[in-house]
Amino acid sequence: MVKAANSRGAAPGTPPRTRILVVGGGYVGMYTALRLQRKLRAGEAEVTVVTPEPYMTYQPFLPEAAAGSISPRHVVVPLRRILPTCRIVIGEAQRIDHAKRTATVTTLATDEEGAGPVEIAYDELVLAPGSISRTLPVPGLADYGIGFKTVEEAIGLRNHVIEQMDIASSTRDPAIRDAALTFVFVGGGYAGVEALGELEDMARYAARYYHNVTPEDMKWVLVEASDRILPEVGPEMGVYTVRELRRRNIDVRLETRLESCENRVAVLSDGTRFPTRTVVWTAGVKPHPVLAASDLPRNEHGRLVCTAFLTVEGVEHAWAAGDAAAVPDITAAEPGRTCAPNAQHAVRQARTLADNLVAALRGEVLTEYAHKYAGSVASLGLHQGVAFVYGRKLKGYPAWFMHRAYHLSRVPTFNRKMRVLAEWTLSGLFKREIVSLGSLEHPRAEFELAAGGGSGPTPPRPTPRPPQDSQG
């Protein structure tokens, strides 16, 4: 194991700078580092951000990126650009030894160097690795399932859907055609419903350019284990959403589970079987595995036990927020309730966490995190949505407009806001793009064929897999 060079950077005769390590570059990690960057005095502390990707993904825009309403590059925020005074380390935190104030990290160069993981020392720890997809031991899922948590998965799913329409249009085998035009989504939360709504809307539009594929030929299935979908928008709006999806000929199966998807056949708990080439898994998330590889206290769900000050309970110099943290909701009427692991809380918690960390460094008073849940908005496709905000229920176009306005106000940086707004404006003036660029996922395939003399078969395209145990 190699110890990373981590100089305290202090001039002779002055106190050493505090080393702040932020694990995770998602909502909490990025916003915490951004606020620390603004509030820390020159030379007061050095901030290191460890993250698997050099960007933060604004996940509420993934469905629109999959539908082609937003370019993929505008869904992500480059960390090096907005965090110029922070040290960005692209890698995975494998283990946290808080007793020794060290984090074991594998970087992109770890395998090349052959010297093992890097050990980064710190004085203050901000643990915000986010969550990963919660998968179940469903036969065939690891072979045929597609996740929907990263921008790569969103664009891959878009390419996959259009490719299935191309297959259906060109095949003479009715069984292959039916399987290609059957799309099964598992999970009735935000990710599943919004992804299904946007992609069904896109595919229905794209069908007008196929001479032998119509919207009626396609079968869209939503599988949800509970008795309702989108619980965050309330029972009434959940019922409306089911009714709206079924009006669009989407088969919504409540209180139903996916039992198997082996051999490209989706078998449901109600006995239904769907030959399909598309199974999208969005059935929940679980804490990042690095939490279990630390010496910090966790609750029964695997999340860090935190205080309302966003410190880890019973531990000094450790902070956490977002999906990884069980933060008490002091605004709730019932005691013992924790804040929901969503973006609304994560962004606000990051602000409070950074302020408290700076206050702790300066010996000032800390502030409790308190935010009363404002409500939720969800898109169901172009001009369709549902919302439950401050007790008010909206549906259809007003909810869809609120969804766009809210997330436009929340996406980081003015640059991203203007680019997204410009793309929305242009998409309203011109026709949708329905091109599949699946070859981008295998850019060397053509060259490898040419380099081999052109005699070998085209390399097979790997089947998309659900996200593994890595930070989303």
Side-chain angles (χ1 to χ4, degrees), residues 212-263:
N212 59 350
V213 175
T214 67
E216 291 72 26
D217 294 331
M218 292 181 279
K219 181 182 295 183
W220 298 81
V221 183
L222 177 63
V223 179
E224 168 55 39
S226 69
D227 60 352
R228 60 175 177 166
I229 64 175
L230 294 180
E232 296 87 351
V233 298
E236 184 178 336
M237 289 295 96
V239 171
Y240 166 81
T241 303
V242 172
R243 187 167 62 247
E244 174 63 21
L245 294 178
R246 286 174 173 165
R247 185 187 65 79
R248 289 159 56 174
N249 292 323
I250 296 173
D251 187 355
V252 180
R253 302 287 181 109
L254 301 178
E255 298 183 281
T256 308
R257 298 179 307 279
L258 177 69
E259 299 285 355
S260 170
C261 57
E262 286 186 302
N263 303 318

Side-chain angles (χ1 to χ4, degrees), residues 330-353:
I330 62 176
T331 67
E334 60 272 24
R337 184 173 178 180
T338 59
C339 297
N342 57 36
Q344 186 177 143
H345 281 298
V347 173
R348 291 169 173 81
Q349 287 173 359
R351 186 182 304 118
T352 301
L353 190 159

Side-chain angles (χ1 to χ4, degrees), residues 447-469:
F447 182 78
E448 287 175 350
L449 180 61
S455 58
T458 302
R461 297 180 61 182
T463 303
R465 292 177 176 269
Q468 303 300 312
D469 287 0

Side-chain angles (χ1 to χ4, degrees), residues 425-442:
T425 302
L426 291 174
S427 66
L429 297 175
F430 301 100
K431 295 180 179 180
R432 285 183 189 237
E433 294 289 349
I434 57 168
V435 177
S436 168
L437 297 177
S439 58
L440 291 177
E441 300 167 29
H442 313 281

Side-chain angles (χ1 to χ4, degrees), residues 249-467:
N249 292 323
I250 296 173
D251 187 355
V252 180
R253 302 287 181 109
L254 301 178
E255 298 183 281
T256 308
R257 298 179 307 279
L258 177 69
E259 299 285 355
S260 170
C261 57
E262 286 186 302
N263 303 318
R264 295 190 182 276
V265 176
V267 181
L268 307 185
S269 58
D270 61 6
T272 309
R273 300 169 62 90
F274 294 109
T276 178
R277 300 169 62 91
T278 309
V279 175
V280 183
W281 183 268
T282 63
V285 296
K286 62 182 180 181
H288 194 281
V290 74
L291 302 186
S294 73
D295 52 355
L296 300 173
R298 296 177 296 139
N299 66 8
E300 65 275 13
H301 301 295
R303 300 167 69 193
L304 296 176
V305 180
C306 295
T307 69
F309 299 105
L310 301 174
T311 60
V312 178
E313 191 171 284
V315 180
E316 295 183 343
H317 309 293
W319 312 75
D323 290 0
V327 179
D329 187 354
I330 62 176
T331 67
E334 60 272 24
R337 184 173 178 180
T338 59
C339 297
N342 57 36
Q344 186 177 143
H345 281 298
V347 173
R348 291 169 173 81
Q349 287 173 359
R351 186 182 304 118
T352 301
L353 190 159
D355 291 347
N356 280 346
L357 204 165
V358 172
L361 295 180
R362 299 172 183 172
E364 299 171 354
V365 178
L366 306 188
T367 303
E368 289 187 318
Y369 172 74
H371 170 66
K372 191 172 181 60
Y373 191 59
S376 301
V377 291
S379 171
L380 305 179
L382 190 63
H383 300 159
Q384 293 294 322
V386 290
F388 183 72
V389 181
Y390 294 115
R392 296 178 61 91
K393 304 182 184 75
L394 295 174
K395 56 188 178 182
Y397 184 88
W400 171 84
F401 183 82
M402 177 177 285
H403 174 271
R404 282 200 162 183
Y406 173 79
H407 287 300
L408 183 65
S409 71
R410 294 299 174 183
V411 67
T413 77
F414 181 76
N415 178 306
R416 284 293 176 274
K417 287 179 171 61
M418 292 300 99
R419 290 179 182 274
V420 169
L421 182 60
E423 287 197 304
W424 281 342
T425 302
L426 291 174
S427 66
L429 297 175
F430 301 100
K431 295 180 179 180
R432 285 183 189 237
E433 294 289 349
I434 57 168
V435 177
S436 168
L437 297 177
S439 58
L440 291 177
E441 300 167 29
H442 313 281
R444 296 191 67 250
E446 188 69 23
F447 182 78
E448 287 175 350
L449 180 61
S455 58
T458 302
R461 297 180 61 182
T463 303
R465 292 177 176 269

